[in-house]
Amino acid sequence: MKAVVDAIARLGRLFLDGVQHAGSMALFAVELAWVLIPTWTRPRDILQQVYAAGVLSLVIILVAGGFVGLVLGLQGYNILSNFNASESLGVMVALSLVRELGPVVAALLFAGRAGSAITAEIALMKTTEQLAALEMMAVDPLRRVIGPRFWGAMISVPLLAALFSLVGIVGGYLIGVVVLGVDQASYWGQIREQMEAWDDVGGGAIKSLAFGAVIALISVYEGYRAEPTASGMARATTQTVVLSSLAVLGLDFVMTAFMFGA
Amino acid sequence: MNVQRGVELVVGLFVLAGIAALMVMALQWSNFGASRVSGYEVTARFDNVGGLTVQSPVKLAGLTIGRVDSIEIHPETFQAEVRMVIDDKYDNLPTDSFANIYTAGLLGAQYVEISPGGAIESLEDGDRITMTQSAIILESVVSKFLFDKAKE
């Protein structure tokens, strides 16, 4: 009897912890929103963060995009040739990349590569009381440390997602046209016929912008509120990757339902 | 200072590359532009448009010369009224041209094919193509075939 009550109580505590976490993140987001525009008074800081988060993630994004495109080309060709429709390979590869895989996979990779780094950096600053020192000197750490990192991540993700899709489509071209012998003109022709500029490319861009904002918020929040200990830092970094991945996938479903539903 | 300059340069390149990738996909690799033909409008009424949708191509001799702009039910005849925008380049289509709804491939997307007639006057903005043939619905063809067979 006692064990059952304990189990229920534990479940209740887990739930309450989750709600509290979400609530304090929302409060933090509001607090952060106030400094987001003033952050642009120091564009150098943002630029530095775009470099750290975006440019340094380029290698993993481009390589992953290439391989995803190659695999899509290979698998798509196998399935489509069953229906004698291998000419549609291009549009299959392009639409799956532009609508879904580009934004989602780029965001997941970004969360692992750059989001965790942002969290770790901020958490270490907090652990070593650098943030407190800034406050002592009347410098707002939200504005000088958190804001630029938020912008850096949010700007980088859509750009990385676009490059991911582009490289993926070229990868599909390599495997489909160069290796498997799909007609080159119909690879590009079908893409051009069926890909919509606003609905598909624009929709993908909006998605990746939203993913960028979510990952950026989670990364800086987890770092800012990390327990100032070694294990607290480790937990915060893990939490960033787990929460970002789940948030991206969940948000992707909701956004897809709205954009491509009906 | 030198390092900072290098960082700025690389970030600039990165931002440019990202935007260029978006632009290439949105403007070069999509049907951007092709979907926004400017031209004159022609309507046609069909008993059944099948899977025809807005943005479906309008073709002449297999080449796309326009797009379907809207599909509505005509309130009096209960037919589907299809409004098409045809490129101004093709302004000499005869008034007695024929509009058919065909399917690209066996299961592909549907489109309007214009078969030119022999009249001297040509279609103008707002005209209606009176001679039309509806989309072929596979089920009705199959059932017609089966009933004809049963009669024999």
Side-chain angles (χ1 to χ4, degrees):
Chain A
M1 187 59 200
K2 189 168 179 301
V4 175
V5 174
D6 275 356
I8 293 174
R10 206 172 305 139
L11 184 71
R13 198 167 61 225
L14 267 178
F15 179 76
L16 288 177
D17 282 352
V19 171
Q20 194 193 15
H21 199 100
S24 57
M25 193 185 295
L27 286 178
F28 175 77
V30 172
E31 216 178 313
L32 181 63
W34 280 109
V35 303
L36 281 185
I37 302 295
T39 300
W40 278 96
T41 50
R42 297 179 64 89
R44 281 272 162 86
D45 290 359
I46 295 176
L47 189 123
Q48 196 69 42
Q49 294 309 319
V50 174
Y51 179 79
V55 175
L56 295 183
S57 304
L58 267 179
V59 175
I60 183 176
I61 292 284
L62 294 184
V63 171
F67 277 115
V68 167
L70 292 177
V71 169
L72 270 181
L74 214 53
Q75 293 282 15
Y77 180 81
N78 277 336
I79 295 171
L80 290 172
S81 60
N82 284 342
F83 303 106
N84 263 337
S86 53
E87 292 78 29
S88 303
L89 182 68
V91 72
M92 194 209 102
V93 170
L95 285 187
S96 17
L97 276 166
V98 167
R99 285 183 182 173
E100 285 295 328
L101 289 173
V104 172
V105 177
L108 292 179
L109 289 172
F110 183 86
R113 160 67 182 74
S116 56
I118 292 173
T119 306
E121 196 183 7
I122 297 175
L124 187 69
M125 283 183 179
K126 192 180 181 198
T127 310
T128 52
E129 296 184 342
Q130 295 179 43
L131 295 183
L134 279 180
E135 263 176 297
M136 276 294 295
M137 296 186 288
V139 176
D140 183 6
L142 266 185
R143 196 165 148 181
R144 281 297 290 278
V145 177
I146 310 293
R149 279 165 181 75
F150 180 91
W151 277 115
M154 190 171 154
I155 292 170
S156 298
V157 173
L159 299 173
L160 290 171
L163 287 167
F164 185 98
S165 301
L166 188 92
V167 172
I169 294 173
V170 173
Y173 172 86
L174 280 184
I175 203 83
V177 176
V178 178
V179 179
L180 295 169
V182 173
D183 178 47
Q184 180 210 331
S186 46
Y187 187 89
W188 295 117
Q190 293 260 345
I191 293 178
R192 205 162 292 169
E193 187 124 316
Q194 296 190 35
M195 192 155 80
E196 304 276 347
W198 288 118
D199 291 4
D200 294 330
V201 182
I206 290 173
K207 264 188 185 178
S208 57
L209 200 64
F211 297 162
V214 167
I215 296 175
L217 176 65
I218 293 176
S219 305
V220 294
Y221 171 78
E222 291 298 337
Y224 196 62
R225 291 294 151 92
E227 220 179 291
T229 59
S231 69
M233 261 183 69
R235 242 195 327 271
T237 320
T238 312
Q239 194 81 295
T240 292
V241 177
V242 172
L243 280 184
S244 305
S245 308
L246 290 180
V248 163
L249 293 170
L251 190 64
D252 180 50
F253 171 71
V254 175
M255 292 187 79
T256 306
F258 271 104
M259 292 164 120
F260 303 103
Chain B
M1 196 57 213
N2 232 344
V3 177
Q4 177 66 24
R5 179 118 187 103
V7 168
E8 280 171 15
L9 205 68
V10 176
V11 169
L13 283 176
F14 167 63
V15 172
L16 274 184
I19 293 173
L22 261 184
M23 286 295 145
V24 163
M25 286 191 290
L27 303 180
Q28 287 303 127
W29 294 359
S30 75
N31 57 14
F32 184 78
S35 58
R36 250 164 279 273
V37 266
S38 61
Y40 61 100
E41 280 183 13
V42 172
T43 58
R45 291 182 197 154
F46 296 91
D47 291 329
N48 193 327
V49 289
L52 198 73
T53 55
V54 172
Q55 291 291 323
S56 292
V58 177
K59 297 190 181 191
L60 175 68
L63 297 177
T64 303
I65 59 165
R67 297 270 164 186
V68 170
D69 193 48
S70 72
I71 304 176
E72 277 158 10
I73 295 288
H74 189 259
E76 281 152 35
T77 58
F78 299 115
Q79 285 177 312
E81 188 163 67
V82 175
R83 214 146 46 87
M84 299 167 269
V85 178
I86 296 176
D87 198 326
D88 280 325
K89 261 193 291 185
Y90 311 97
D91 60 354
N92 54 353
L93 295 172
T95 46
D96 61 345
S97 295
F98 224 88
N100 303 308
I101 296 180
Y102 286 144
T103 309
L106 189 58
L107 301 166
Q110 292 189 300
Y111 62 93
V112 179
E113 172 84 35
I114 307 277
S115 319
I120 299 161
E121 304 95 79
S122 39
L123 285 169
E124 275 167 34
D125 192 48
D127 279 0
R128 185 158 72 88
I129 298 177
T130 44
M131 285 180 289
T132 61
Q133 193 195 340
S134 294
I136 292 170
I137 309 294
L138 211 54
E139 284 92 330
S140 61
V141 176
V142 171
S143 69
K144 191 164 188 299
F145 173 75
L146 287 177
F147 280 123
D148 286 354
K149 264 282 185 246
K151 269 187 216 152
E152 280 174 17

